[in-house]
Amino acid sequence: MNTDQAFDLLKDAGVTESSSIQTVRRWLREGRIKYEGGNKNRNTGYIMDGTDQAFEMLKDAGVTESNSVQTVSRWLREGKIKYSGSGKRNNGYINDDSAAKLAINDIIDQNKDEIIHRLKLKIQAQEKHIEGIEELHETAKRILIQQRDMFKKEVAILKNEKSELQNETKDLLKENIELRNELIKLKENFRNNYNIESTTQSNDYSEKLGLSKTASNKEVLAEYKGLLKITHPDHNGNAKVFHYIKTDYDNFRKSTKGNE
């Protein structure tokens, strides 16, 4: 292979012009290629022993392994180099992808340990990710169970409070009814025991109030005040009855003042 062919090879492989010049000069010094330049009608065909030589030259020129595989495979398909690698030489040109596949398989065999190691790392990372998801799921599950139990307790408390309020309401209604019935009885007793027609004629206030004849003036006044409160119009009492009692109450107070 001459200098023109080597330069075109490196350029076709994607090597920069400056790097290609330096590499071709080095190959000349090392005697790996022949000097044959200055010809305007350059021969651009590549003459190499085979794929092994192409891989070695590209690697020596700094081309990456993946780019070298792609370039050599393309040269094989274009019929520009012969396939001869791994101890198996073929004097004919190979125009399909079989040679490229063989070269790739060689590279995979060489790097299989590294590939397996990377796959193991990926699997471990995925397993840790899955463990994290499972742990997160279990945590969320525990939280939901705790919230459910808490809600159940709150519902039970609310039910008890509701039951207590219902019982209290019933007790209040019962008490209200009892108080109302007692008030009604007091009003009835008052009407029965208090003779309105004889209010202005009788002076026996204790008898009219249903008290003992020996009741003191304070007891009589207290009874009058109780009746006035019950019959007061503001408490749904009878205004006429209230007026009669009030008159009697005033008369009793006047009479007690006169006796003092």
Side-chain angles (χ1 to χ4, degrees):
M1 181 169 56
N2 58 39
T3 55
D4 290 340
Q5 291 171 334
F7 186 81
D8 290 339
L9 180 148
L10 295 174
K11 182 179 179 181
D12 188 57
V15 181
T16 62
E17 186 174 357
S18 60
S19 297
S20 298
I21 292 172
Q22 294 177 4
T23 303
V24 170
R25 287 177 178 175
R26 180 167 53 81
W27 287 348
L28 269 173
R29 291 194 302 271
E30 295 172 355
R32 300 179 65 177
I33 60 175
K34 298 177 181 180
Y35 176 75
E36 188 177 331
N39 185 4
K40 295 182 179 179
N41 297 323
R42 298 168 62 185
N43 183 6
T44 57
Y46 303 141
I47 301 173
M48 287 181 287
D49 290 340
T51 55
D52 289 342
Q53 183 185 9
F55 276 119
E56 291 174 1
M57 295 186 72
L58 291 174
K59 182 179 179 180
D60 187 62
V63 180
T64 61
E65 190 173 14
S66 60
N67 288 337
S68 297
V69 172
Q70 295 178 1
T71 302
V72 172
S73 299
R74 177 166 54 79
W75 288 344
L76 280 169
R77 291 195 300 271
E78 295 172 353
K80 295 181 178 180
I81 61 174
K82 297 177 182 180
Y83 174 75
S84 59
S86 303
K88 296 181 180 179
R89 295 180 177 271
N90 188 345
N91 294 327
Y93 294 106
I94 300 176
N95 295 321
D96 54 20
D97 293 336
S98 59
K101 292 179 179 178
L102 290 173
I104 294 172
N105 289 334
D106 290 338
I107 296 172
I108 292 175
D109 289 337
Q110 294 173 2
N111 299 327
K112 63 181 181 180
D113 292 337
E114 182 179 357
I115 294 173
I116 292 173
H117 178 67
R118 291 179 180 178
L119 289 175
K120 287 182 178 179
L121 292 177
K122 288 183 178 180
I123 292 172
Q124 291 176 357
Q126 290 178 351
E127 288 177 350
K128 289 182 179 179
H129 181 65
I130 292 172
E131 290 177 358
I133 293 175
E134 290 177 349
E135 184 177 355
L136 181 63
H137 173 73
E138 291 296 328
T139 302
K141 183 178 178 181
R142 288 195 297 269
I143 293 173
L144 289 174
I145 292 174
Q146 292 175 356
Q147 290 179 345
R148 183 193 63 186
D149 295 339
M150 181 180 67
F151 290 151
K152 286 183 177 180
K153 291 180 180 178
E154 290 180 354
V155 170
I157 292 172
L158 290 174
K159 286 183 178 179
N160 291 333
E161 291 179 352
K162 180 181 178 182
S163 178
E164 291 176 357
L165 288 173
Q166 289 177 343
N167 293 332
E168 290 179 0
T169 302
K170 290 179 181 178
D171 294 338
L172 289 173
L173 289 173
K174 183 178 179 181
E175 185 179 354
N176 188 29
I177 293 172
E178 291 175 353
L179 289 173
R180 186 172 181 179
N181 291 335
E182 184 177 353
L183 179 60
I184 292 172
K185 290 180 179 179
L186 287 173
K187 289 181 178 181
E188 291 178 351
N189 290 334
F190 168 74
R191 292 191 183 96
N192 294 331
N193 296 329
Y194 193 82
N195 187 357
I196 296 176
E197 294 180 354
S198 61
T199 300
T200 57
Q201 298 175 1
S202 176
N203 293 324
D204 191 356
Y205 298 101
S206 299
E207 184 178 356
K208 286 189 288 186
L209 292 172
L211 297 175
S212 173
K213 292 182 179 181
T214 59
S216 65
N217 291 340
K218 289 183 178 181
E219 291 176 341
V220 174
L221 287 173
E223 187 68 17
Y224 270 121
K225 288 180 180 180
L227 292 174
L228 288 173
K229 185 176 180 180
I230 294 173
T231 58
H232 198 284
D234 293 342
H235 297 155
N236 297 324
N238 190 298
K240 187 176 180 180
V241 174
F242 176 79
H243 175 70
Y244 287 140
I245 296 174
K246 184 66 168 58
T247 302
D248 227 16
Y249 171 72
D250 293 338
N251 292 333
F252 177 75
R253 291 190 63 187
K254 289 178 183 181
S255 65
T256 54
K257 288 181 180 180
N259 294 330
E260 292 177 354

